[in-house]
Amino acid sequence: MNPQLADSAFLLACRRRPVPYTPVWYMRQAGRSLPEYRELRAGTAMLDACATPDLVVEITMQPVRRYGVDAAIFFSDIVVPLKAIGVDLDIKPGVGPVVADPIRDAAAAARLRPIEPDDVPYVTEAIGALVKELDRVPLIGFAGGPFTLASYLIEGGPSKNHDRTKAMMYGDPDLWHELMDRLTTITLGFLRIQAEAGASALQLFDSWVGAVAPGDYRTYVLPYTSRIFAGLADLDVPRIHFGVGTGELLGIMGEAGADVVGVDWRVPLDEAALRVGAGKALQGNLDPAVLLAPWPIVADRATTILESGRVAEGHIFNLGHGVLPSTNPDQLARLTNHIHTTTIR
């Protein structure tokens, strides 16, 4: 760990230690809400941008400069490691990841191999440059959770109901576990590559796992998320676990081994702290749509979250999901200042 980061409010909160103020960063803080991002990305496909170190560095830095957030998150996408090991996929604007040949049988699953550093040299190069430029600001590396990656691979793209995914999970559990085992190896490897390159925290985005009932999560997902967090324990970097619509899963997610559990906007933080249990910090959880409202409403909602977050052993302020593209960047800059200056003691 870079000794210059020892007094980082973000890392202190992740470790449930006293902080001078509540730290804040925003999921999707780098992206379509920023005019400088849209200008820089013009004419460049998403996956090409993710594989261009100079672009990755600049896009990652943009919200740090504009908002003064307490952490940067590496600009990438959860399908980058899948693309890197040879999965034929693309990110289509307005749609999301689209897989040319969805995985529906054992032969297709068997083609998923472990990821190696040489598969993603652009990731290592970009993180090395970012660590130098960020100096005292921590960099968060991330990866997609196995359930979410499995859903994209099985469905062939985004899915509202995850029909084929659940059909495999329930109807062909052997294939499901084989697929999840391989995706867990890939995800763990990708996270380790980022940490070893210099990332000072890691977040697992299992965005769509909220579609799973608690009992099914425990059987079909928890063994794999637990393996990922256990496989990162020796790195001594905070591990964050986040999913959308996971209010009923928070207790089980608390068992998976992360240091911080992310909470979407559907559950107040004081209630989330009870569900997650002792020994964890919380991250969240302003509804991203609130940022489209007038400032007094944003400030009031944010203050309420700070108050409920006092119950947690550590609290990192964030949104309950990613920044919406139509968000005015000035709202986020103002919110960052509000969080820093009105922390509830």
Side-chain angles (χ1 to χ4, degrees):
M1 177 70 68
N2 182 347
Q4 291 183 312
L5 297 175
D7 59 353
S8 157
F10 167 74
L11 294 176
L12 288 171
C14 287
R15 300 183 189 282
R16 298 176 288 120
R17 295 175 182 167
V19 292
Y21 54 82
T22 299
V24 53
W25 69 278
Y26 307 108
M27 289 182 280
R28 294 185 189 157
Q29 62 188 16
R32 293 170 293 174
S33 65
L34 290 176
E36 56 265 43
Y37 169 83
R38 295 194 295 270
E39 181 180 349
L40 190 63
R41 269 285 316 280
T44 304
M46 177 65 177
L47 288 175
D48 291 338
C50 292
T52 307
D54 289 349
L55 276 179
V56 171
V57 171
E58 175 58 23
I59 293 170
T60 302
M61 291 299 303
Q62 285 175 347
V64 177
R65 298 190 198 108
R66 185 184 269 262
Y67 303 139
V69 286
D70 298 291
I73 185 158
F74 187 64
F75 176 74
S76 187
D77 190 89
I78 64 170
V79 299
V80 163
L82 299 180
K83 181 76 171 180
I85 63 166
V87 176
D88 186 357
L89 59 81
D90 195 12
I91 298 176
K92 295 192 175 180
V95 179
V98 177
V99 180
D101 298 304
I103 291 178
R104 306 279 168 76
D105 56 37
R111 291 195 287 270
L112 297 174
R113 64 168 176 83
I115 193 168
E116 303 292 342
D118 288 347
D119 294 319
V120 285
Y122 43 86
V123 169
T124 301
E125 180 182 339
I127 289 178
L130 276 166
V131 169
K132 292 178 182 177
E133 187 159 349
L134 285 164
D135 192 22
R136 295 179 181 275
V137 178
L139 176 66
I140 304 168
F142 76 92
F147 177 87
T148 297
L149 295 179
S151 179
Y152 282 127
L153 289 172
I154 296 166
E155 305 287 345
S159 171
K160 183 177 181 180
N161 298 313
H162 310 279
D163 310 55
R164 290 180 178 272
T165 305
K166 290 186 176 182
M168 181 188 293
M169 190 171 74
Y170 298 137
D172 195 344
D174 289 344
L175 178 56
W176 173 261
H177 288 296
E178 174 67 16
L179 176 59
M180 290 289 281
D181 179 70
R182 288 176 178 270
L183 290 172
T184 296
T185 298
I186 293 164
T187 297
L188 176 56
F190 191 53
L191 288 169
R192 290 192 67 91
I193 288 168
Q194 293 174 77
E196 288 162 1
S200 46
L202 299 169
Q203 176 155 311
L204 185 69
F205 282 90
D206 215 348
S207 306
W208 309 137
V209 79
V212 177
D216 292 329
Y217 184 97
R218 188 173 293 281
T219 300
Y220 298 109
V221 182
L222 180 61
Y224 304 101
T225 50
S226 296
R227 192 175 117 205
I228 290 168
F229 291 124
L232 301 170
D234 65 301
L235 297 174
D236 192 34
V237 298
R239 300 155 295 173
I240 308 169
H241 193 10
F242 174 75
V244 183
T246 52
E248 296 301 319
L249 303 177
L250 287 174
I252 309 173
M253 289 173 67
E255 299 173 21
D259 305 288
V260 184
V261 175
V263 184
D264 75 9
W265 66 92
R266 297 170 177 88
V267 180
L269 289 183
D270 49 1
E271 173 62 25
L274 296 175
R275 296 186 189 186
V276 170
K280 309 290 179 184
L282 298 184
Q283 180 173 278
N285 65 340
L286 184 71
D287 184 341
V290 169
L291 289 165
L292 307 181
W295 169 250
I297 295 171
V298 178
D300 181 66
R301 291 293 187 100
T303 301
T304 298
I305 288 167
L306 289 172
E307 290 170 347
S308 63
R310 287 189 302 169
V311 175
E313 296 178 36
H315 177 213
I316 300 103
F317 190 96
N318 208 312
L319 306 181
H321 200 195
V323 175
L324 297 172
S326 57
T327 303
N328 183 340
D330 292 342
Q331 288 277 65
L332 283 169
R334 199 169 181 181
L335 176 58
T336 304
N337 182 66
H338 180 75
I339 299 305
H340 285 161
T341 57
T342 63
T343 296
I344 307 299
R345 298 294 179 185

